[in-house]
Amino acid sequence: LAGLGPMRLAAGGSAERMLILQGFLAVCALATLTVATIQQRRGRLSEALRVARDEARVLAERAEAAESAAGVGHWRTEIASGQTRSSIQVFRILGLPPADTLDARAAVAMIHPEDRAAADALYARALATGRGWDKAIIRVVRPGGEVAFVSSRGLTERDATGAVTAVFGTVMDVTRETLAERLVRESEARYRLLAENATDAITRTALDGRLLYVSAAVHRLTGYASDDLLGREIWSFAHPDDAPQLLAAYQQVAMGARDRGATVEYRVRHRSG
C-alpha cells in the first residue's frame, strides 16, 4: 500500500499486484495448514512412540523380575553377525558381570571340558536341521572355579527359505536339584546294597500296607521270590490267626501312634504250605 516491498517487482497495476498478493497469501495459508497437519501427526506419533517405549520398558522390567524369580535367563544369537544378546539372569547364572552383549565364545569356553562335545553337537544339529533341543543339562565352570549345573533349552528362527537365522535359548541353574538327586541316588544305592546283603528280610510298604520293596532274603523265610510279593498287602501272607494283630500294629505305626515303631511276632505261611 505504501509502494514499498517486493510487490513493486510484479508487472501490472495495483489491482494485478493485489491479486498476486492474495494468491501468495493463499498458497502460504495452504502450506501452513499442511505443515501444521504434519506437525500434529508427528506429535501424535511421538506420543505414541513414547507410550510404546514406556510400555516396553515396563514389560522388560517385569520380564527381568520374572526371570529372576524363576531363576531362568535367555539368550539369542544372530547367525549372520554372530552377535549374542542375553538377559541379566544369564550373566548371574554364569557368574559374570552384566554387559550389553554376551561374548559367545567366552561363554562356550566356560562349559566343562567333559560336556563341551555334547553341547557343540546340540548347537551344530540345530543349525543343520532347524530343530532345537530340550532340557540338556551341562556343567559350566564359573570364573571362581565353582562348577554349576545348567539346564538349557533351545529353538531356532528361520527365514522364508528355511535357513536358520538365529538361535534362541534359555538357561536355568539346577545345581541344587542335580546335587540333591545325586545324593538321593547314592543313598538309595547304599540302602539297596545293605538290604540285598542282609540276612533279615527288609520290606518297604505304602501306607495302605502294599509291599513296594522286598529284599532277597525273604525267599529263605517264605519260599517266595521278591517279585512274587510286590503289590500284595503285608498281612496277606500272615497266618490267619496272627494277621489281625499284625494289621493293628501296622495301622498304629502308619498313623503315627507309635513314633518308634512296633515289634510284633506272627507266623507266616511258607510257599510250600
Side-chain angles (χ1 to χ4, degrees):
L1 294 176
L4 302 174
M7 288 305 298
R8 292 185 61 189
L9 300 176
S14 59
E16 288 80 3
R17 292 176 179 176
M18 187 61 67
L19 289 174
I20 293 174
L21 177 60
Q22 289 176 353
F24 172 74
L25 293 176
V27 172
C28 287
L30 290 175
T32 301
L33 288 175
T34 304
V35 172
T37 302
I38 294 174
Q39 288 288 75
Q40 186 180 31
R41 291 179 179 175
R42 285 187 61 185
R44 291 175 180 173
L45 289 174
S46 297
E47 178 63 18
L49 182 60
R50 183 190 64 79
V51 172
R53 281 199 300 261
D54 291 343
E55 292 179 350
R57 177 179 54 80
V58 172
L59 290 175
E61 291 175 352
R62 290 177 180 175
E64 182 180 339
E67 284 192 352
S68 179
V72 179
H74 74 272
W75 55 270
R76 181 178 181 275
T77 299
E78 294 183 358
I79 304 304
S81 64
Q83 187 179 47
T84 299
R85 291 189 176 274
S86 64
S87 62
I88 294 179
Q89 192 64 23
V90 173
F91 292 93
R92 293 173 181 167
I93 292 174
L94 297 180
L96 299 172
D100 293 334
T101 59
L102 177 66
D103 187 341
R105 284 180 293 184
V108 171
M110 296 177 65
I111 298 176
H112 194 283
E114 295 179 2
D115 297 344
R116 181 81 55 81
D120 290 343
L122 282 176
Y123 193 82
R125 189 189 67 180
L127 295 181
T129 65
R131 296 194 303 268
W133 63 89
D134 183 61
K135 200 177 181 179
I137 297 180
I138 59 175
R139 290 169 292 176
V140 296
V141 183
R142 291 170 174 160
E146 177 188 3
V147 176
F149 290 83
V150 174
S151 177
S152 172
R153 286 181 168 86
L155 56 87
T156 61
E157 299 175 13
R158 291 183 280 182
D159 59 17
T161 65
V164 177
T165 58
V167 179
F168 178 87
T170 62
V171 291
M172 176 187 291
D173 187 353
V174 292
T175 304
R176 287 185 178 181
E177 295 82 351
T178 303
L179 293 179
E181 291 176 0
R182 179 175 295 180
L183 289 175
V184 169
R185 288 195 299 269
E186 292 176 354
S187 177
E188 182 178 356
R190 289 194 297 267
Y191 167 78
R192 287 189 175 275
L193 180 64
L194 173 64
E196 296 298 335
N197 290 278
T199 56
D200 294 333
I202 300 174
T203 64
R204 181 172 180 268
T205 64
L207 290 179
D208 59 3
R210 289 179 299 106
L211 287 164
L212 303 177
Y213 169 79
V214 184
S215 67
V218 74
H219 183 268
R220 179 179 59 85
L221 296 176
T222 67
Y224 290 97
S226 302
D227 293 341
D228 296 334
L229 301 179
L230 294 180
R232 293 179 57 179
E233 294 174 334
I234 193 171
W235 46 81
S236 64
F237 53 92
H239 191 283
D241 295 340
D242 298 342
Q245 63 177 345
L246 173 60
L247 174 60
Y250 183 85
Q251 288 176 335
Q252 288 181 345
V253 174
M255 294 174 62
R258 296 187 181 183
D259 294 336
R260 297 185 179 181
T263 302
V264 58
E265 284 190 8
Y266 61 96
R267 289 166 291 177
V268 176
R269 188 177 299 279
H270 194 275
R271 187 169 190 172
S272 64

PDB file of all heavy atoms in Angstrom, residues 191-205:
ATOM      1  N   TYR A 191      21.382 -98.033  50.420  1.00  0.00           N
ATOM      2  CA  TYR A 191      20.282 -98.744  51.079  1.00  0.00           C
ATOM      3  C   TYR A 191      20.048-100.102  50.434  1.00  0.00           C
ATOM      4  O   TYR A 191      19.893-101.115  51.121  1.00  0.00           O
ATOM      5  CB  TYR A 191      19.017 -97.887  51.014  1.00  0.00           C
ATOM      6  CG  TYR A 191      17.750 -98.614  51.379  1.00  0.00           C
ATOM      7  CD1 TYR A 191      17.433 -98.859  52.710  1.00  0.00           C
ATOM      8  CD2 TYR A 191      16.880 -99.076  50.396  1.00  0.00           C
ATOM      9  CE1 TYR A 191      16.276 -99.520  53.054  1.00  0.00           C
ATOM     10  CE2 TYR A 191      15.715 -99.743  50.730  1.00  0.00           C
ATOM     11  CZ  TYR A 191      15.415 -99.961  52.058  1.00  0.00           C
ATOM     12  OH  TYR A 191      14.271-100.631  52.398  1.00  0.00           O
ATOM     13  N   ARG A 192      20.032-100.117  49.100  1.00  0.00           N
ATOM     14  CA  ARG A 192      19.805-101.384  48.407  1.00  0.00           C
ATOM     15  C   ARG A 192      20.960-102.354  48.641  1.00  0.00           C
ATOM     16  O   ARG A 192      20.747-103.567  48.769  1.00  0.00           O
ATOM     17  CB  ARG A 192      19.607-101.142  46.910  1.00  0.00           C
ATOM     18  CG  ARG A 192      18.270-100.519  46.574  1.00  0.00           C
ATOM     19  CD  ARG A 192      18.029-100.486  45.074  1.00  0.00           C
ATOM     20  NE  ARG A 192      16.695 -99.997  44.769  1.00  0.00           N
ATOM     21  CZ  ARG A 192      15.611-100.755  44.739  1.00  0.00           C
ATOM     22  NH1 ARG A 192      15.717-102.058  44.980  1.00  0.00           N
ATOM     23  NH2 ARG A 192      14.423-100.245  44.463  1.00  0.00           N
ATOM     24  N   LEU A 193      22.178-101.818  48.675  1.00  0.00           N
ATOM     25  CA  LEU A 193      23.323-102.684  48.941  1.00  0.00           C
ATOM     26  C   LEU A 193      23.193-103.341  50.303  1.00  0.00           C
ATOM     27  O   LEU A 193      23.452-104.542  50.470  1.00  0.00           O
ATOM     28  CB  LEU A 193      24.618-101.859  48.867  1.00  0.00           C
ATOM     29  CG  LEU A 193      25.917-102.619  49.113  1.00  0.00           C
ATOM     30  CD1 LEU A 193      26.140-103.673  48.042  1.00  0.00           C
ATOM     31  CD2 LEU A 193      27.092-101.655  49.170  1.00  0.00           C
ATOM     32  N   LEU A 194      22.770-102.553  51.302  1.00  0.00           N
ATOM     33  CA  LEU A 194      22.573-103.092  52.639  1.00  0.00           C
ATOM     34  C   LEU A 194      21.432-104.093  52.667  1.00  0.00           C
ATOM     35  O   LEU A 194      21.558-105.194  53.214  1.00  0.00           O
ATOM     36  CB  LEU A 194      22.285-101.944  53.615  1.00  0.00           C
ATOM     37  CG  LEU A 194      21.879-102.348  55.041  1.00  0.00           C
ATOM     38  CD1 LEU A 194      23.028-103.083  55.733  1.00  0.00           C
ATOM     39  CD2 LEU A 194      21.464-101.133  55.846  1.00  0.00           C
ATOM     40  N   ALA A 195      20.306-103.707  52.030  1.00  0.00           N
ATOM     41  CA  ALA A 195      19.126-104.561  52.084  1.00  0.00           C
ATOM     42  C   ALA A 195      19.344-105.884  51.357  1.00  0.00           C
ATOM     43  O   ALA A 195      18.935-106.948  51.837  1.00  0.00           O
ATOM     44  CB  ALA A 195      17.934-103.821  51.485  1.00  0.00           C
ATOM     45  N   GLU A 196      20.002-105.825  50.197  1.00  0.00           N
ATOM     46  CA  GLU A 196      20.180-107.036  49.403  1.00  0.00           C
ATOM     47  C   GLU A 196      21.172-108.007  50.039  1.00  0.00           C
ATOM     48  O   GLU A 196      21.151-109.202  49.736  1.00  0.00           O
ATOM     49  CB  GLU A 196      20.642-106.677  47.990  1.00  0.00           C
ATOM     50  CG  GLU A 196      19.622-105.872  47.182  1.00  0.00           C
ATOM     51  CD  GLU A 196      18.323-106.638  46.965  1.00  0.00           C
ATOM     52  OE1 GLU A 196      18.363-107.877  46.991  1.00  0.00           O
ATOM     53  OE2 GLU A 196      17.282-105.994  46.785  1.00  0.00           O
ATOM     54  N   ASN A 197      22.029-107.506  50.912  1.00  0.00           N
ATOM     55  CA  ASN A 197      23.037-108.382  51.514  1.00  0.00           C
ATOM     56  C   ASN A 197      22.741-108.720  52.971  1.00  0.00           C
ATOM     57  O   ASN A 197      23.516-109.425  53.604  1.00  0.00           O
ATOM     58  CB  ASN A 197      24.417-107.729  51.410  1.00  0.00           C
ATOM     59  CG  ASN A 197      24.932-107.700  49.986  1.00  0.00           C
ATOM     60  OD1 ASN A 197      25.480-108.668  49.486  1.00  0.00           O
ATOM     61  ND2 ASN A 197      24.719-106.564  49.313  1.00  0.00           N
ATOM     62  N   ALA A 198      21.640-108.194  53.506  1.00  0.00           N
ATOM     63  CA  ALA A 198      21.269-108.516  54.885  1.00  0.00           C
ATOM     64  C   ALA A 198      20.605-109.884  54.930  1.00  0.00           C
ATOM     65  O   ALA A 198      19.930-110.303  53.987  1.00  0.00           O
ATOM     66  CB  ALA A 198      20.319-107.448  55.428  1.00  0.00           C
ATOM     67  N   THR A 199      20.788-110.591  56.042  1.00  0.00           N
ATOM     68  CA  THR A 199      20.156-111.910  56.196  1.00  0.00           C
ATOM     69  C   THR A 199      18.703-111.779  56.607  1.00  0.00           C
ATOM     70  O   THR A 199      17.921-112.715  56.426  1.00  0.00           O
ATOM     71  CB  THR A 199      20.915-112.735  57.237  1.00  0.00           C
ATOM     72  OG1 THR A 199      20.966-112.005  58.467  1.00  0.00           O
ATOM     73  CG2 THR A 199      22.330-113.019  56.765  1.00  0.00           C
ATOM     74  N   ASP A 200      18.318-110.642  57.189  1.00  0.00           N
ATOM     75  CA  ASP A 200      16.917-110.402  57.540  1.00  0.00           C
ATOM     76  C   ASP A 200      16.163-109.896  56.322  1.00  0.00           C
ATOM     77  O   ASP A 200      16.710-109.171  55.484  1.00  0.00           O
ATOM     78  CB  ASP A 200      16.795-109.364  58.653  1.00  0.00           C
ATOM     79  CG  ASP A 200      17.388-109.877  59.961  1.00  0.00           C
ATOM     80  OD1 ASP A 200      17.412-111.097  60.153  1.00  0.00           O
ATOM     81  OD2 ASP A 200      17.828-109.038  60.768  1.00  0.00           O
ATOM     82  N   ALA A 201      14.884-110.264  56.233  1.00  0.00           N
ATOM     83  CA  ALA A 201      14.044-109.767  55.154  1.00  0.00           C
ATOM     84  C   ALA A 201      13.667-108.315  55.461  1.00  0.00           C
ATOM     85  O   ALA A 201      13.132-108.018  56.525  1.00  0.00           O
ATOM     86  CB  ALA A 201      12.789-110.618  55.010  1.00  0.00           C
ATOM     87  N   ILE A 202      13.932-107.419  54.536  1.00  0.00           N
ATOM     88  CA  ILE A 202      13.635-105.995  54.704  1.00  0.00           C
ATOM     89  C   ILE A 202      12.570-105.605  53.693  1.00  0.00           C
ATOM     90  O   ILE A 202      12.667-105.938  52.505  1.00  0.00           O
ATOM     91  CB  ILE A 202      14.902-105.138  54.499  1.00  0.00           C
ATOM     92  CG1 ILE A 202      15.959-105.537  55.531  1.00  0.00           C
ATOM     93  CG2 ILE A 202      14.586-103.651  54.595  1.00  0.00           C
ATOM     94  CD1 ILE A 202      17.289-104.858  55.323  1.00  0.00           C
ATOM     95  N   THR A 203      11.537-104.922  54.173  1.00  0.00           N
ATOM     96  CA  THR A 203      10.438-104.528  53.294  1.00  0.00           C
ATOM     97  C   THR A 203      10.198-103.027  53.392  1.00  0.00           C
ATOM     98  O   THR A 203      10.550-102.382  54.369  1.00  0.00           O
ATOM     99  CB  THR A 203       9.131-105.258  53.672  1.00  0.00           C
ATOM    100  OG1 THR A 203       8.740-104.844  54.995  1.00  0.00           O
ATOM    101  CG2 THR A 203       9.305-106.760  53.629  1.00  0.00           C
ATOM    102  N   ARG A 204       9.581-102.511  52.340  1.00  0.00           N
ATOM    103  CA  ARG A 204       9.123-101.114  52.322  1.00  0.00           C
ATOM    104  C   ARG A 204       7.700-101.125  51.786  1.00  0.00           C
ATOM    105  O   ARG A 204       7.442-101.705  50.734  1.00  0.00           O
ATOM    106  CB  ARG A 204      10.021-100.255  51.431  1.00  0.00           C
ATOM    107  CG  ARG A 204       9.625 -98.784  51.378  1.00  0.00           C
ATOM    108  CD  ARG A 204      10.694 -97.980  50.636  1.00  0.00           C
ATOM    109  NE  ARG A 204      10.343 -96.566  50.558  1.00  0.00           N
ATOM    110  CZ  ARG A 204       9.674 -96.017  49.536  1.00  0.00           C
ATOM    111  NH1 ARG A 204       9.318 -96.779  48.514  1.00  0.00           N
ATOM    112  NH2 ARG A 204       9.376 -94.743  49.548  1.00  0.00           N
ATOM    113  N   THR A 205       6.793-100.511  52.537  1.00  0.00           N
ATOM    114  CA  THR A 205       5.382-100.595  52.179  1.00  0.00           C
ATOM    115  C   THR A 205       4.768 -99.206  52.032  1.00  0.00           C
ATOM    116  O   THR A 205       5.260 -98.221  52.589  1.00  0.00           O
ATOM    117  CB  THR A 205       4.582-101.352  53.261  1.00  0.00           C
ATOM    118  OG1 THR A 205       4.631-100.588  54.469  1.00  0.00           O
ATOM    119  CG2 THR A 205       5.160-102.725  53.503  1.00  0.00           C
TER     120      THR A 205
END
